[in-house]
Amino acid sequence: MGEYLQAATKKYLLRYGGDAFPNVFTHAKGSKIRDTSGREIIDFTSGQMCATIGHNHPEIIKAINQAGERAYHMFSGMIPDVVAKLAQELAQNWMPNNLNRSLFLSTGSESTEAALRLAKIYTGGYEVIALGGSWHGVTGAAASVSYASDRHGYGPTVPGTFILPEPNSYRPYIEAGSEEAEADAALDLGLKMFDMQSRGAPAAIIVEPVISAGGVLVPPKSFFKRLRKEADKRGMLLIFDEAQTAFGRIGARTAAEYFDATPDILCASKTLGGGLPLAATITNDEIEQTAHERGFTFYTSHVSDPLPATVGLAVLETLQREQLLQAAQTKGTFLRELLIGLQQKYDVIGDVRGLGMLMGVELVKDRTSKQPNHELGALTTKRCFELGLSMNIRRRAERGSVWRIAPPLTISENELEQGVSIMDQAIGESLNALARP
Ligand SMILES: Cc1ncc(COP(=O)(O)O)c(C=O)c1O
């Protein structure tokens, strides 16, 4: 059965990139994935960083059944009751400052597109600045502002997209003595370049508060204060893409709250749907009103669909009832200590960083040279999988080899220990294999 389906995979699927595992998979439950042979694998990535409350949580199953009894889908001009409830729940209990107007979509890429369209129609400008190492999606404008994705081979990007050097305390672009000073220096230089290139039509600065695909880089708090000031100075909106950071992953309701920052627009996706396609673009009354008056549209086939909204409500209720924000903090500390233990054992672990249950582990040739260790990253990730652990590694020539570790917040400490012990064995064996002539 497994082999037959593996052959079908090879013959009938269009390959879409990334490192595909050879097996075919059947089940995802809690923190475990099962393949066609019945083998269970610990999931250290929550699927595609979505399943924060665990795969197929009973509350998600219940929500899907409820939607089955009531409605999955409606005409986009009909607002389902659950969509109204979800918008109210986000505004009253989850969003920072005055972000209280939500548009519900399906994917993170769409939430970026909607945010950029809002910023453009509101400011009348079109120039957008994003950070190096960013990932905001694969659709037109979102791909244009994504610098960690593959940009080669698809023709021109949207005119008016600019890059800022991202804050990176492990590999600073400009050495300046402290991570705050280094983030400032890189920002100063980047903005100087932007001001020179600008055609005088600035619209937005878009950032991931934790630059995830770019290597799980955590900027200092001061960086966001500076961004706010610099955006205001130029009449630009500040957009936070919180696809990965909102709703518990870093132990807070949002990264905006964690960093005490004040974005004008917040994009949420992965962690809101808990594994189902749900995204939101959220802004304040004033921006919503102005955009509406200027004719803002963002219709998709699945805008305001009741099925994902029912699931989103279940995800938020579960996060609260099971106290998963606190769990992200305590389990995050536990995980960090385990990873630091590994770092003390292996000189090839250059850096351990992250927030809550979103951690990055950077592999290097050695800690002095900090040279990226792509061979070890590939080999160890493969060995982890053979030993029963699913890991995601970001390998880009320009920025090193970084494991991105984001298990479900419902994972047990025992499973975290098992996972890190597999990493330990896999690193040891891979180092031996690479040392052989
Ligand atoms: C920060 C961030 N924004 C946007 C996206 C795009 O989301 P989607 O893949 O759902 O379109 C991703 C996906 O990895 C992401 O990590």
Side-chain angles (χ1 to χ4, degrees):
M1 159 93 156
E3 276 169 27
Y4 160 72
L5 289 173
Q6 277 175 31
T9 301
K10 288 211 173 88
K11 188 156 181 204
Y12 298 116
L13 281 179
L14 192 158
R15 286 163 286 184
Y16 46 81
D19 298 323
F21 291 116
N23 309 34
V24 180
F25 300 87
T26 55
H27 292 72
K29 183 83 192 155
S31 303
K32 301 262 175 68
I33 311 287
R34 203 187 308 159
D35 69 10
T36 43
S37 73
R39 195 170 80 102
E40 283 200 329
I41 296 140
I42 300 173
D43 182 4
F44 261 19
T45 68
S46 301
Q48 197 66 37
M49 326 290 284
C50 300
T52 37
I53 67 168
H55 292 282
N56 283 38
H57 191 288
E59 290 301 320
I60 293 187
I61 298 172
K62 208 160 93 188
I64 292 171
N65 288 335
Q66 261 170 19
E69 297 293 323
R70 303 182 83 223
Y72 288 144
H73 167 78
M74 283 182 191
F75 172 61
S76 51
M78 294 174 179
I79 302 301
D81 57 354
V82 283
V83 165
K85 272 192 208 157
L86 181 57
Q88 178 172 299
E89 173 64 15
L90 286 178
Q92 294 184 345
N93 297 320
W94 291 88
M95 285 299 115
N97 44 53
N98 50 358
L99 299 184
N100 56 358
R101 293 282 197 153
S102 294
L103 163 67
F104 293 108
L105 302 162
S106 310
T107 65
S109 302
E110 284 174 357
S111 73
T112 304
E113 297 289 339
L116 295 177
R117 276 169 78 119
L118 264 180
K120 287 173 187 176
I121 206 161
Y122 177 79
T123 59
Y126 66 94
E127 292 169 344
V128 180
I129 308 180
L131 295 178
S134 57
W135 186 296
H136 299 292
V138 294
T139 52
S144 290
V145 293
S146 294
Y147 294 103
S149 65
D150 294 308
R151 293 171 71 87
H152 294 194
Y154 308 106
T157 53
V158 175
T161 41
F162 299 83
I163 187 168
L164 275 184
E166 73 280 13
N168 182 342
S169 59
Y170 187 61
R171 299 174 186 282
Y173 284 98
I174 302 169
E175 307 242 356
S178 75
E179 64 171 322
E180 286 82 8
E182 283 163 0
D184 264 347
L187 186 58
D188 286 338
L189 180 63
L191 286 171
K192 207 174 262 180
M193 297 291 128
F194 167 73
D195 290 336
M196 266 194 263
Q197 295 171 88
S198 172
R199 309 294 288 179
I205 302 178
I206 182 167
V207 296
E208 289 164 81
V210 175
I211 305 154
S212 178
V216 194
L217 303 171
V218 184
K221 271 189 186 178
S222 58
F223 179 70
F224 298 104
K225 295 260 174 307
R226 273 291 313 278
L227 277 186
R228 179 70 271 174
K229 238 170 69 191
E230 299 297 339
D232 288 344
K233 223 194 289 179
R234 292 167 179 78
M236 302 171 102
L237 297 189
L238 181 58
I239 303 171
F240 269 27
D241 179 352
E242 296 224 27
Q244 299 192 19
T245 48
F247 312 120
R249 166 65 56 207
I250 62 166
R253 290 183 295 188
T254 60
E257 180 179 58
Y258 177 87
F259 286 111
D260 193 18
T262 49
D264 301 297
I265 303 177
L266 190 148
C267 298
S269 52
K270 297 172 182 284
T271 53
L272 182 56
L276 271 88
L278 173 63
T281 302
I282 308 155
T283 192
N284 60 38
D285 281 333
E286 199 252 320
I287 293 172
E288 194 274 345
Q289 181 64 30
T290 306
H292 174 70
E293 283 165 9
R294 295 182 185 166
F296 175 74
T297 54
F298 202 92
Y299 265 40
T300 71
S301 301
H302 297 289
V303 67
S304 290
D305 258 359
L307 166 62
T310 313
V311 171
L313 277 168
V315 168
L316 297 181
E317 278 162 23
T318 304
L319 286 167
Q320 270 171 331
R321 199 182 39 260
E322 297 188 11
Q323 302 189 334
L324 293 177
L325 273 57
Q326 292 88 323
Q329 292 169 16
T330 50
K331 289 177 195 175
T333 305
F334 184 73
L335 173 62
R336 183 186 293 264
E337 279 163 10
L338 292 175
L339 295 173
I340 286 173
L342 266 195
Q343 187 185 24
Q344 282 160 357
K345 186 165 171 189
Y346 296 106
D347 191 46
V348 288
I349 297 185
D351 198 23
V352 172
R353 53 185 180 247
L355 288 179
M357 287 280 266
L358 177 54
M359 297 295 297
V361 172
E362 175 146 1
L363 296 172
V364 290
K365 295 257 162 79
D366 59 79
R367 288 196 201 137
T368 318
S369 76
K370 292 188 184 176
Q371 264 188 7
N373 202 336
H374 296 303
E375 305 82 354
L376 181 70
L379 204 59
T380 311
T381 305
K382 182 165 170 281
R383 189 67 191 128
C384 280
F385 181 69
E386 289 161 1
L387 294 169
L389 175 68
S390 166
M391 294 277 286
N392 173 266
I393 191 144
R394 298 290 309 159
R395 280 178 293 150
R396 295 194 67 81
E398 77 281 8
R399 58 180 54 256
S401 213
V402 183
W403 273 318
R404 191 165 46 163
I405 303 177
L409 308 184
T410 46
I411 196 169
S412 67
E413 290 197 346
N414 188 25
E415 285 169 320
L416 285 174
E417 276 175 332
Q418 274 177 39
V420 175
S421 138
I422 290 177
M423 287 170 72
D424 187 356
Q425 183 182 344
I427 295 173
E429 290 180 6
S430 304
L431 282 172
N432 285 340
L434 286 171
R436 270 183 232 125

